[in-house]
Amino acid sequence: MTDTTEKAAAPPAPGPAVPGPAPAPRTARLWRGATPWLFLLAPLTLLIVFTYAPIANMVAYSFTDWDGVSPELHYTGAGNYTELFTRSDLFEVFWVSGYYLAASVVQIVAALYFATVLSFNVRFRNFFKGVLFFPYLINGVAIGFVFLYFFQDGGTLDSVLSLFGVHTDRAWLGTPASANTSLAAVSVWRYLGLNFVLFLGAIQSIPGELYEAAELDGANRRHQFRHIIAPGIKPVLSLTVILSISGSLSVFEIPYIMTGGATGTETFVIQTVKLAFQFNKTGLASAAAVVLLLIVLAVTWVQRRLVPDDKVDLV
Amino acid sequence: MTRRTVARTLMYASLIAATVVVLLPPAAVVLTSLKSEREMANGSGALALPDDLLNLSNYATAFQDGRMLPAFANTAVILLLAIGGTVLIGSMTAYAIDRFTFRFKKPVVALFLVAALVPGVTTQVATFQIVNSLGMFDSIWAPVVLYMGTDIVSIYIFLQFVRSIPVSLDEAARLDGANAFTIYRRIIFPLLKPAIATVVIVKGITTYNDFYIPFLYMPSEDLGVISTSLFRFKGPFGAHWETISAGAVLVILPTLIVFLFLQRFIYNGFTKGATR
């Protein structure tokens, strides 16, 4: 966007001098030109040192066999990338993301349902709102322990099932399929509240007259949802979709805390952390991280193309 | 029954079901935390009530052996520094970007925007090397600078607010002889209070709950924060679920209290924070 408004403290613009309060002397003008940079000094330094420098280094490491410690490193070309894509055990972690992707579909649908329901007049509305959102605020390690106990043999889930006369001998975290499903369910439990609150905010920002007008025209709840709510929350919905995809690819906490990545629950980030910090394969880990980063950027790019919604830019 | 009553009944049923699903797992943990070792050994189910509802001995064990006090202290220090830094940095960036026109403004803005797209977990392998070479590894400075340095969301929240402050205020102050720093300090910063509240809440909660960064960057036990201390706590207590449960409840409790008091602000904060 172009700056159409003349902002205060505009530095001397090129071309005709801006008519302003008393022409400033040269040093004062220099000082003024430097002012925004003085404000940006700390933020930009942090941004470059802790975001861009790592990205650049990571790309560089990804073409080497560096172990993260020794002063020696050798350029290996695309070797790490070929290893990543040809060794099936390394690539397997991507399938685990599938469980979390499926879980995010469930999560988005449920969040949408509850947000719609609770945006109308419902008894104990604030209580239900609070209950649904609260898990999002809980410490990840605590959640991990709560659910380790939940899925344990003779733990919460088994106790509940036995109330209904179902006695399972299942180790919920015992086989890859059931463990991943359980873990993905935990992530629905944890993150549903965030999506819910985002949707709720978007629905409530839709002016109330729209519903009234629709009701006069004889629209029922389902019509209202399709023609008023759905278009009204489209931007938030598309944001949620990207967050879910990049979230599903970068799952770390819950599986790391609960299973440590055992029984086929290792995710991409767990694998990368292990490669880098346990097996000292910084080069290979970097290549993996570059691949993940590229996937996330690609997803975001596709979403921006599909849903051109440019209320998002900073200026 | 009319169709409408059926629909309403189903709706309430779904809400109650959701409530049970959300509350049951932590409730079972609370119950377990009140049981004695003997009760646990007798194999009463997870949902059985404890014999003594006021048995807090597990909490005492968790608090002492889990080194919770230093963990809370470390967390508090990190919270204070990281939030303070984020507020300062975010508001300065927003002020500079919104109130000045300068060369390279567009590329600078683009740098901040693109950074928002990069998920933090992907770059840690390389960030680690940088933090290490700056000598910040295994000190509280590592999480502090990392939390401060990469928070695009708070910059965005501040930007929204700075934009809503009329430029005429700046101009009036300038005519009175105020320079840019005085304007920032005396006019912009105080008017940003609602934004600061939002950032403090959102940042506070995410920092309190973060596990990844303290786990990677502060391995020594003295530097345990809430998350890492709780994580390490599981080791020595193995299958002593009554003690582990007490530890988990201790960690959740402050969040619950803050949530109950600040509910409305927390919802708003997250809506503003995430829907960039």
Side-chain angles (χ1 to χ4, degrees):
Chain A
M1 300 226 165
T2 51
D3 284 17
T4 44
T5 43
E6 173 71 41
K7 296 285 164 77
V18 192
R26 212 180 129 73
T27 46
R29 271 207 277 166
L30 269 175
W31 187 237
R32 253 195 218 178
T35 310
W37 296 107
L38 291 176
F39 280 99
L40 287 171
L41 190 66
L44 274 179
T45 311
L46 286 170
L47 185 71
I48 289 167
V49 173
F50 295 107
T51 302
Y52 287 99
I55 296 176
N57 286 349
M58 189 170 83
V59 174
Y61 297 154
S62 75
F63 295 107
T64 67
D65 64 352
W66 195 34
D67 62 3
V69 203
S70 78
E72 259 181 70
L73 73 175
H74 306 102
Y75 175 76
T76 55
N80 288 325
Y81 291 94
T82 2
E83 189 174 348
L84 203 63
F85 284 101
T86 47
R87 258 175 67 182
S88 62
D89 57 317
L90 287 181
F91 208 70
E92 237 160 46
V93 289
F94 278 105
W95 301 118
V96 175
S97 312
Y99 286 93
Y100 293 93
L101 267 179
S104 17
V105 175
V106 175
Q107 179 180 319
I108 290 175
V109 171
L112 203 51
Y113 166 76
F114 286 116
T116 313
V117 163
L118 289 176
S119 61
F120 295 108
N121 228 344
V122 170
R123 235 176 261 205
F124 308 116
R125 191 163 152 230
N126 286 329
F127 169 77
F128 288 126
K129 252 174 86 171
V131 164
L132 286 174
F133 183 60
F134 186 64
Y136 180 70
L137 303 177
I138 303 180
N139 189 291
V141 182
I143 293 182
F145 288 176
V146 164
F147 279 94
L148 262 182
Y149 188 60
F150 184 83
F151 289 118
Q152 231 202 3
D153 194 21
T156 317
L157 185 54
D158 285 345
S159 304
V160 172
L161 288 176
S162 69
L163 284 184
F164 293 99
V166 184
H167 294 275
T168 50
D169 261 342
R170 248 189 117 129
W172 296 100
L173 299 174
T175 63
S178 115
N180 278 317
T181 314
S182 306
L183 293 176
V186 175
S187 96
V188 174
W189 186 89
R190 185 180 187 190
Y191 292 110
L192 179 84
L194 180 65
N195 289 350
F196 160 75
V197 161
L198 296 183
F199 291 149
L200 196 67
I203 293 176
Q204 280 170 349
S205 68
I206 299 170
E209 304 94 69
L210 280 181
Y211 299 110
E212 284 161 31
E215 228 152 279
L216 283 181
D217 289 341
N220 61 22
R221 282 282 147 83
R222 196 158 359 120
H223 293 140
Q224 286 180 5
F225 181 82
R226 251 199 78 193
H227 298 289
I228 302 175
I229 296 180
I233 60 168
K234 213 169 128 194
V236 178
L237 191 62
S238 86
L239 174 82
T240 308
V241 172
I242 329 185
L243 288 181
S244 301
I245 297 176
S246 71
S248 306
L249 291 165
S250 41
V251 178
F252 170 73
E253 272 188 24
I254 293 296
Y256 190 83
I257 292 160
M258 289 180 61
T259 63
T263 42
T265 57
E266 191 163 273
T267 66
F268 192 84
V269 177
I270 296 182
Q271 187 185 60
T272 311
V273 166
K274 281 190 176 163
L275 283 177
F277 303 110
Q278 276 175 24
F279 305 123
N280 289 334
K281 294 196 163 185
T282 305
L284 188 58
S286 299
V290 170
V291 170
L292 177 60
L293 184 59
L294 289 177
I295 296 175
V296 170
L297 291 179
V299 168
T300 315
W301 182 79
V302 168
Q303 184 269 350
R304 288 273 150 90
R305 297 305 309 261
L306 291 178
V307 190
D309 168 49
D310 270 6
K311 276 179 269 164
V312 193
D313 63 351
L314 273 173
V315 184
Chain B
M1 280 215 288
T2 61
R3 265 189 72 178
R4 213 180 165 93
T5 8
V6 175
R8 275 196 97 67
T9 317
L10 283 177
M11 184 195 78
Y12 279 107
S14 70
L15 286 170
I16 291 167
T19 307
V20 172
V21 170
V22 169
L23 296 184
L24 193 79
V29 164
V30 173
L31 285 181
T32 305
S33 72
L34 298 170
K35 290 178 184 166
S36 65
E37 204 177 328
R38 200 166 39 82
E39 275 177 87
M40 289 299 286
N42 289 345
S44 63
L47 299 175
L49 283 180
D51 293 340
D52 177 7
L53 275 173
L54 289 173
N55 168 27
L56 297 178
S57 63
N58 295 324
Y59 286 90
T61 315
F63 197 77
Q64 277 169 356
D65 298 0
R67 315 233 262 160
M68 288 293 181
L69 197 62
F72 275 108
N74 286 335
T75 309
V77 172
I78 291 175
L79 273 176
L80 204 72
L81 294 172
I83 293 178
T86 308
V87 166
L88 264 182
I89 282 177
S91 57
M92 289 199 305
T93 314
Y95 176 64
I97 289 178
D98 188 64
R99 290 299 210 248
F100 295 90
T101 34
F102 51 91
R103 277 181 92 186
F104 307 118
K105 179 170 166 171
K106 276 193 179 172
V108 166
V109 170
L111 277 185
F112 282 106
L113 262 182
V114 172
L117 303 177
V118 178
V121 287
T122 58
T123 52
Q124 293 309 322
V125 176
T127 309
F128 184 86
Q129 304 300 338
I130 288 183
V131 169
N132 201 5
S133 66
L134 292 172
M136 286 191 281
F137 176 67
D138 213 12
S139 78
I140 63 161
W141 296 108
V144 167
V145 293
L146 289 173
Y147 293 140
M148 274 185 346
T150 49
D151 197 11
I152 315 298
V153 173
S154 65
I155 293 179
Y156 183 76
I157 293 172
F158 281 123
L159 202 59
Q160 299 293 318
F161 273 82
V162 171
R163 226 176 262 169
S164 70
I165 300 171
V167 180
S168 55
L169 282 181
D170 300 36
E171 281 160 357
R174 194 165 293 277
L175 286 180
D176 288 342
N179 63 25
F181 294 95
T182 322
I183 293 174
Y184 166 75
R185 203 161 50 91
R186 291 280 174 77
I187 297 176
I188 305 290
F189 196 77
L191 285 174
L192 284 178
K193 266 183 204 142
I196 294 174
T198 303
V199 169
V200 168
I201 288 174
V202 175
K203 192 76 188 168
I205 289 167
T206 45
T207 308
Y208 178 86
N209 288 336
D210 188 40
F211 170 68
Y212 193 62
I213 287 179
F215 174 72
L216 268 188
Y217 292 98
M218 300 195 300
S220 41
E221 247 180 76
D222 299 339
L223 293 174
V225 293
I226 294 298
S227 318
T228 45
S229 294
L230 185 62
F231 183 68
R232 285 188 201 120
F233 185 49
K234 198 177 160 274
F237 287 91
H240 283 275
W241 277 103
E242 69 285 358
T243 330
I244 296 171
S245 299
V249 174
L250 273 180
V251 166
I252 298 174
L253 217 52
T255 322
L256 180 64
I257 294 167
V258 171
F259 175 64
L260 290 178
F261 279 104
L262 300 176
Q263 258 196 69
R264 175 193 301 260
F265 303 103
I266 291 178
Y267 292 136
N268 289 344
F270 275 96
T271 331
K272 273 183 206 127
T275 48
R276 293 189 301 245

